[in-house]
Structures are given as C-alpha cells and as structure tokens.
C-alpha cells in the first residue's frame, strides 16, 4: 500500500513521533493506522526503558490539599532537564498523581518498594483465610497469588486504576508521558497526611 504524506501527517499529529519514524511505522503495518500507532508506542516505551539509567535530578514537588485541608499530599516527580520540568504536560502529570494519592491512599510508588515482610504477612493472611473457608490445599497457592495481586493493585501507586479513567493505570499514564517527553521520568516519593490519623 502506498504511504501518503497525509497519512504520515495524521500519524505524526497524533503521536508526536518524527516523520521518518511515522513513515517506517506505516510501512511496517501496511498502512494500518492503529497498528502504526501501536508500533510507535512500543518503540517509544523501549526507548523510554533505555533512558531509565539516565540521571533525573530536575522536576517538581507538587503539593495538594483536599477537602478544606483535611488531606494533604506532597509528591516528587523528577526528569532530566529543567526544560521538561517546566513543560505543562509534566506538571499536569505531577498534579494528577497528587489527586490520585489523595483519593486512593497508595502506600508505595512501585511494587519493588513493598517490604518482603509485608508481602509475607499478607500471603499468610490469605492462606489462613482460604484454609478457614475449607479450600483444598492444592488451590491455596493460586488463591494467595490472586490475593497478593489485588493487594498490590490497591496499595501500589503505579498499579492503581487512574481515578479519572479506570481503563488506565497510573503506569499507563506514566508510559504516555515518558514516550511523549522522551526523557527519563521518575516518580521519586510521596507522602499523604489525613487530619487526625496516627503517624506511622
């Protein structure tokens, strides 16, 4: 199929990818627009992964207060350059993270941040509950695995469903930003306070 400049322009407008990348994506997908978008996204994610070892020391600390000061969130998001740190989409992402944290109370940024002891405790609880319910020993490991997956979806920020669009996770939102900005983006840390709660 012949690749027209109009097709390249449409794909470029939608993805922000370079002209040559758009042409290659359309050629690889025989002019199929959706496949070309997927190709570019995968390529972008691969490039984002390659950038992950680059230093990200610029960025923003987003502060958000909710419910007349009943909940406060501070989140640090880093990038490589002060140019990207001033970018509207980068700042909007940091703000969306703060809203997400206020609404969904995650405990950790990434799965790897969960202490091993915490995972073991949750696994033990799930196994004990399954035995109490009379589940056969053979299926208990699968039950525990499902329980831990749900636990991570609820408590890990990057795995949570995005509060504005439940078809996406925060990781999806992060991937879109990293692909469009072409920099190493790091969600460094956050803290969430709620009026009257005990300090941990």
């Amino acid at each position: 199929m012949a690749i027209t400049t109009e097709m390249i322009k449409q794909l470029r407008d939608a993805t922000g990818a370079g002209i040559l990348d758009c042409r290659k994506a359309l050629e690889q997908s025989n002019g199929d627009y959706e496949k070309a978008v997927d190709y570019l996204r995968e390529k972008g994610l691969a490039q984002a992964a390659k950038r992950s070892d680059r230093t990200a020391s610029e960025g923003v600390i987003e502060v958000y207060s909710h419910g007349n000061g009943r909940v406060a969130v501070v989140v640090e998001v880093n990038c490589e350059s002060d140019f990207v740190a001033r970018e509207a989409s980068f700042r909007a992402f940091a703000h969306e993270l703060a809203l997400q944290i206020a609404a969904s109370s995650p405990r950790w940024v990434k799965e790897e941040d969960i202490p091993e002891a915490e995972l073991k405790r949750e696994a033990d609880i799930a196994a004990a509950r399954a035995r109490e319910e009379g589940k056969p020993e053979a299926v208990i490991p699968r039950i525990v695995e499902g329980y831990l997956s749900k636990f991570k979806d609820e408590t890990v920020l990057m795995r949570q469903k995005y509060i504005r669009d439940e078809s996406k996770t925060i990781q999806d939102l992060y991937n879109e930003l990293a692909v469009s900005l072409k920099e190493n983006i790091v969600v460094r840390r956050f803290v969430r306070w709620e009026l009257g709660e005990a300090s941990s």
Side-chain angles (χ1 to χ4, degrees):
M1 178 179 183
I3 308 300
T4 66
T5 53
E6 187 51 44
M7 289 162 75
I8 294 169
K9 183 182 182 311
Q10 184 188 4
L11 189 59
R12 185 160 193 231
D13 290 346
T15 63
I19 292 171
L20 294 175
D21 287 336
C22 288
R23 174 179 289 285
K24 186 172 183 195
L26 285 162
E27 285 167 356
Q28 293 284 331
S29 59
N30 283 331
D32 183 313
Y33 177 79
E34 293 302 323
K35 283 184 183 164
V37 169
D38 289 346
Y39 172 87
L40 286 171
R41 284 193 64 212
E42 284 162 19
K43 187 170 188 264
L45 287 175
Q47 287 171 339
K50 280 184 201 159
R51 289 191 291 273
S52 67
D53 59 349
R54 299 203 314 223
T55 305
S57 56
E58 295 294 331
V60 67
I61 292 177
E62 179 72 16
V63 180
Y64 174 70
S65 174
H66 181 73
N68 267 349
R70 295 196 65 80
V71 175
V73 171
V74 180
V75 61
E76 179 182 354
V77 186
N78 299 129
C79 56
E80 295 171 47
S81 66
D82 61 344
F83 174 76
V84 164
R86 293 192 304 266
E87 188 73 33
S89 61
F90 179 81
R91 294 198 163 248
F93 175 71
H95 184 68
E96 289 302 304
L97 286 184
L99 293 178
Q100 180 78 25
I101 294 162
S104 301
S105 307
R107 294 170 62 189
W108 300 282
V109 175
K110 307 181 299 294
E111 214 173 300
E112 306 85 81
D113 299 338
I114 306 173
E116 205 52 52
E118 187 84 25
L119 280 176
K120 185 183 179 328
R121 192 173 74 84
E122 291 297 328
D124 291 347
I125 289 169
R129 191 179 296 156
R131 285 189 186 99
E132 213 171 87
E133 291 170 1
K135 303 286 188 211
E137 274 303 314
V139 300
I140 288 177
R142 278 212 323 274
I143 291 170
V144 169
E145 195 181 312
Y147 177 86
L148 285 179
S149 181
K150 187 171 186 289
F151 171 75
K152 290 172 187 175
D153 289 346
E154 290 170 359
T155 59
V156 174
L157 175 64
M158 300 308 274
R159 285 182 60 142
Q160 286 186 336
K161 288 190 184 307
Y162 178 34
I163 53 172
R164 291 191 198 273
D165 178 358
E166 294 219 333
S167 70
K168 290 180 179 178
T169 63
I170 296 301
Q171 184 68 53
D172 294 332
L173 218 58
Y174 167 89
N175 290 348
E176 287 168 11
L177 184 74
V179 167
S180 71
L181 293 179
K182 298 180 175 60
E183 272 204 11
N184 181 21
I185 308 294
V186 177
V187 180
R188 184 79 58 200
R189 57 191 164 162
F190 67 83
V191 65
R192 180 188 187 276
W193 293 288
E194 190 158 349
L195 201 62
E197 73 182 356
S199 297
S200 54

